[in-house]
Amino acid sequence: ESLPVLATLIPANPNGAAGAERNDWLRRINEQIRPMARAEGAVVADLHAAFLRESDLSALFADHVHPNDRGYQVMAAEFFRAITRPPSASAAALPSLLSHP
């Protein structure tokens, strides 16, 4: 068995050309990803929320699209959090997953 993990999309770099319109689109897509993942029993790694918790969003990007090392650290920490502390909707499946070699 496996424990599926689905990630939200990260916000756009505020210093990029995409601007508010792109972030509005990303927010709407992420609003669909979260409930879909939970309905399917997947754990959500909320990368979007993790990026927004940082004090300087633009400091997480190497260019207008790609995260830099700090951005990837934020992503890795969020995946780790999601995998090690699954939400209650999928927590029930975790003991059976852990019991298999």
Side-chain angles (χ1 to χ4, degrees):
E1 292 183 48
S2 63
L3 180 63
V5 179
L6 188 61
T8 56
L9 303 173
I10 64 171
N13 184 342
N15 293 334
E21 184 177 315
R22 174 74 174 172
N23 278 322
D24 286 342
W25 179 82
L26 289 164
R27 181 188 46 75
R28 289 191 311 271
I29 294 297
N30 287 331
E31 286 173 356
Q32 295 175 34
I33 289 173
R34 291 178 191 102
M36 178 190 64
R38 290 184 183 110
E40 295 296 325
V43 172
V44 176
D46 200 341
L47 303 182
H48 190 265
F51 265 56
L52 293 179
R53 283 192 298 269
E54 295 295 309
S55 60
D56 182 6
L57 185 59
S58 63
L60 303 177
F61 289 89
D63 58 25
H64 68 287
V65 176
H66 301 94
N68 59 19
D69 289 346
R70 176 68 188 129
Y72 284 117
Q73 288 173 345
V74 169
M75 293 170 72
E78 178 58 21
F79 270 104
F80 182 78
R81 186 212 57 78
I83 292 167
T84 59
R85 299 185 205 318
S88 60
S90 47
L94 192 57
S96 66
L97 292 173
L98 296 176
S99 66
H100 296 298

